[in-house]
Amino acid sequence: MRASLTLPIAIITGIISYFAYVSIHALDYTHQAVSQIIAYLQPALLFVMLFVSFCKVSPKELRPKRWMLKMLGFQIISFSLLGTLIICIQDIAGKAVIESLMICLICPTATAASVVTTKLKGNPSTVVSYTCLINLAAAIAIPSVVSFIHEKNMEYDFITSFTLIIGKVFPLLILPLLLAWLVKYMFPNIHRRIVSYKDLAFNLWAVALTLAIAITMKAITHTDKSFIELTCIALASLLSCCIQFYIGRRIGKQHNEPIAGAQSLGQKNTIFAIWVGYTFLDPVTAMAGGFYSVWHNVINSWQLYKTGKNNY
């Protein structure tokens, strides 16, 4: 199957699978069990996918570059400015929409971004480097700004919030990287066998994406928010998605890394975004992560289509 078709099929499969499953009332008693299975299966898939992807990355290639500071600056400054706006105007209209936009802007790079970057003929090692940097930056920026926005309702202090975020990203980012390097230097034969499977990481991502889209459909259909509010959040996430892909490509292009730049800034860890919304902000803002999951995968599908078309 051509890579350009893989993501659209995964998206459509996720949507159809969810609605088909919930429409079979004989399976209603299985909903809780299935939710628990997916809660373990999804991170397990991401872990294996990252491990396979990181097996192809050398430690020497993971060097932070100057242009990454520009993208870090964009994410942190835009997030902080919107947060300052809310702090200064307590009863500002559309507060939930602004907070949704904040989440989309500060959200770290998706753990699968290096996989898609490889398919787009970009440099995955720079994406991995930026992913590590932005996760650390987000762990500091989110509790710093949010603590002022929801000062009266904050359940966690800065240290607790920082620890929670690091604990969320470490198992699915650092551990597969360390394990990949361990296998590379201690079990070279196994490492060569893993690397020989060219599309394994991408195919695992397609399965994980199917589950993610199904979960997104569940969140959208079960919300009690108004259609207008959901539409505004969806548009805010779409706007931030397009802007970040554009800015990332522009910054990357200045340093001969247009694909890595676009994916580093545009492709987001939407599971993390949903968690941040539920944990630190108005719970409705978690919907922004769900909508963003659709938008960035639609853009990725289009990019894969263009890349595949140019190869024929």
Side-chain angles (χ1 to χ4, degrees), residues 249-281:
R249 183 172 291 276
R250 285 293 298 270
I251 293 175
K253 192 173 183 180
Q254 294 172 3
H255 303 270
N256 298 316
E257 294 271 15
I259 295 172
Q263 297 308 122
S264 294
L265 199 56
Q267 189 173 347
K268 300 292 188 180
N269 184 348
T270 53
I271 297 174
F272 178 86
I274 292 170
W275 175 76
V276 167
Y278 275 121
T279 306
F280 300 106
L281 297 169

Side-chain angles (χ1 to χ4, degrees), residues 57-312:
V57 176
S58 170
K60 296 179 181 179
E61 296 175 318
L62 296 182
R63 296 176 180 175
K65 299 184 178 181
R66 274 186 170 182
W67 59 267
M68 295 179 184
L69 294 176
K70 297 180 183 179
M71 298 203 299
L72 284 173
F74 167 78
Q75 290 194 251
I76 295 171
I77 292 172
S78 60
F79 172 76
S80 301
L81 287 176
L82 289 174
T84 302
L85 179 64
I86 294 176
I87 294 167
C88 294
I89 309 175
Q90 290 291 327
D91 298 322
I92 189 170
K95 182 177 179 181
V97 177
I98 297 174
E99 290 185 355
S100 298
L101 191 57
M102 289 173 62
I103 289 176
C104 293
L105 289 168
I106 196 61
C107 184
T109 307
T111 49
S114 62
V115 178
V116 178
T117 301
T118 301
K119 275 291 181 182
L120 294 172
K121 313 301 182 186
N123 184 357
S125 62
T126 55
V127 176
V128 174
S129 297
Y130 188 76
T131 303
C132 295
L133 290 174
I134 187 55
N135 272 284
L136 181 58
I140 297 172
I142 292 172
S144 298
V145 175
V146 172
S147 61
F148 288 101
I149 296 176
H150 295 278
E151 187 175 4
K152 295 180 180 179
N153 302 319
M154 274 296 286
E155 184 178 350
Y156 311 108
D157 58 20
F158 174 82
I159 297 299
T160 304
S161 301
F162 176 82
T163 305
L164 279 171
I165 295 173
I166 290 296
K168 190 77 174 177
V169 302
F170 182 83
L172 282 181
L173 180 64
I174 306 301
L175 289 183
L177 184 62
L178 296 178
L179 182 60
W181 290 346
L182 179 68
V183 171
K184 178 181 177 68
Y185 293 111
M186 296 191 66
F187 307 99
N189 291 333
I190 296 177
H191 179 264
R192 281 193 292 270
R193 178 68 64 87
I194 294 171
V195 172
S196 68
Y197 295 109
K198 184 180 178 182
D199 291 328
L200 178 57
F202 186 75
N203 292 333
L204 287 171
W205 167 237
V207 176
L209 173 59
T210 300
L211 293 176
I213 293 297
I215 294 171
T216 299
M217 290 300 104
K218 178 182 177 181
I220 293 173
T221 55
H222 283 74
T223 184
D224 58 353
K225 300 300 178 181
S226 68
F227 175 78
I228 294 176
E229 193 168 10
L230 287 179
T231 301
C232 290
I233 292 174
L235 290 175
S237 65
L238 175 60
L239 177 64
S240 67
C241 183
C242 294
I243 289 174
Q244 289 182 96
F245 267 104
Y246 174 76
I247 291 177
R249 183 172 291 276
R250 285 293 298 270
I251 293 175
K253 192 173 183 180
Q254 294 172 3
H255 303 270
N256 298 316
E257 294 271 15
I259 295 172
Q263 297 308 122
S264 294
L265 199 56
Q267 189 173 347
K268 300 292 188 180
N269 184 348
T270 53
I271 297 174
F272 178 86
I274 292 170
W275 175 76
V276 167
Y278 275 121
T279 306
F280 300 106
L281 297 169
D282 185 335
V284 72
T285 60
M287 300 300 300
F291 286 119
Y292 199 105
S293 177
V294 176
W295 307 140
H296 77 176
N297 281 299
V298 168
I299 291 176
N300 280 338
S301 299
W302 178 78
Q303 291 183 126
L304 288 166
Y305 167 75
K306 294 289 288 185
T307 301
K309 188 176 180 181
N310 291 337
N311 290 336
Y312 284 90

